[in-house]
Amino acid sequence: ETGVTQTPRHLVMGMTNKKSLKCEQHLGHNAMYWYKQSAKKPLELMFVYNFKEQTENNSVPSRFSPECPNSSHLFLHLHTLQPEDSALYLCASSQDPAGDYGYTFGSGTRLTVV
Amino acid sequence: KQEVTQIPAALSVPEGENLVLNCSFTDSAIYNLQWFRQDPGKGLTSLLLIQSSQREQTSGRLNASLDKSSGRSTLYIAASQPGDSATYLCAVRDWGNTPLVFGKGTRLSVIA
């Protein structure tokens, strides 16, 4: 375990469902991130939170809705997804927003939209 | 816009061989560079972090070098083992409050 925990590990959902992905870190980090990893593409940054405040939304469709209630928890709420949203969703954290000490990633949630 | 390229996309070597993975980036004004390992269907494990002021970092059988002026980094793996089989990702962070930019990775297979 890296210190960043993601649940669930696997998720299958229909296009009309609503589900949430959860990320938790107890490393004392102040920045948290959501990334999407699709086959044969580089990791794509989705959202950045620094000290619980969203600082970046990388042109992500509104069917993805992040929530950061505190500096240790990050959620990604999903609704009316499309099959092309099927991917590995990775959460990461860093000690400071500048990433001076690198980034720690969770194991990811494998999402399949049917 | 920063772009990161990793060559080769896939590599297969016999056990015991020393090997080099390559990473290049288009904008040399980076803040730091990080190498990750990813096992199939899993998250990323950080291997080495090189700050812009550093030339290399070592951890066990792994050595990463950084040449900012030429926009290149290499990951050297000594005496490869089957357990080293994974995808290796290179990511750079530019100056300013910018996110990591990743390459597509090199998929390594070490054959026993």
Side-chain angles (χ1 to χ4, degrees), chain A residues 102-113:
Chain A
Y103 298 78
T104 303
F105 281 78
S107 297
T109 294
R110 172 68 63 185
L111 174 68
T112 303
V113 181

Side-chain angles (χ1 to χ4, degrees), chain A residues 24-89:
Chain A
E24 185 174 353
Q25 60 91 6
H26 295 289
L27 300 169
H29 289 178
N30 296 305
M32 297 185 77
Y33 313 80
W34 280 116
Y35 281 86
K36 176 183 178 182
Q37 187 176 36
S38 305
K40 302 192 187 300
K41 294 175 68 174
L43 269 77
E44 301 172 72
L45 178 67
M46 300 176 71
F47 300 104
V48 180
Y49 277 83
N50 291 325
F51 297 98
K52 304 187 301 179
E53 299 297 321
Q54 184 176 316
T55 57
E56 184 147 352
N57 175 338
N58 203 24
S59 302
V60 180
S62 60
R63 58 185 183 269
F64 295 91
S65 175
E67 178 190 2
C68 189
N70 55 62
S71 58
S72 298
H73 294 84
L74 184 65
F75 295 89
L76 188 62
H77 303 301
L78 316 171
H79 65 97
T80 59
L81 294 191
Q82 304 298 312
E84 59 265 28
D85 296 322
S86 298
L88 181 67
Y89 288 85

Side-chain angles (χ1 to χ4, degrees), chain B residues 21-40:
Chain B
L21 306 181
N22 297 294
C23 171
S24 62
F25 42 95
T26 53
D27 186 343
S28 62
I30 66 169
Y31 186 76
N32 60 34
L33 181 146
Q34 195 164 2
W35 282 93
F36 295 89
R37 167 187 173 139
Q38 185 175 31
D39 292 289

Side-chain angles (χ1 to χ4, degrees), chain B:
Chain B
K1 179 185 173 187
Q2 180 73 269
E3 292 183 5
V4 178
T5 302
Q6 292 187 247
I7 294 174
L11 180 64
S12 184
V13 300
E15 182 178 8
E17 196 162 292
N18 302 325
L19 59 100
V20 174
L21 306 181
N22 297 294
C23 171
S24 62
F25 42 95
T26 53
D27 186 343
S28 62
I30 66 169
Y31 186 76
N32 60 34
L33 181 146
Q34 195 164 2
W35 282 93
F36 295 89
R37 167 187 173 139
Q38 185 175 31
D39 292 289
K42 300 291 180 63
L44 278 63
T45 300
S46 178
L47 297 174
L48 292 163
L49 171 68
I50 309 178
Q51 303 293 351
S52 62
S53 59
Q54 299 174 321
R55 294 298 298 262
E56 65 177 352
Q57 284 286 335
T58 298
S59 176
R61 294 183 293 109
L62 305 180
N63 176 279
S65 67
L66 175 64
D67 183 345
K68 280 196 314 178
S69 61
S70 65
R72 295 175 190 236
S73 175
T74 61
L75 179 66
Y76 175 82
I77 302 177
S80 58
Q81 302 170 359
D84 295 329
S85 298
T87 296
Y88 291 81
L89 295 160
C90 170
V92 302
R93 199 178 77 76
D94 296 329
W95 287 89
N97 195 15
T98 58
L100 284 178
V101 178
F102 282 84
K104 292 183 180 180
T106 293
R107 189 173 68 254
L108 173 66
S109 296
V110 180
I111 311 301

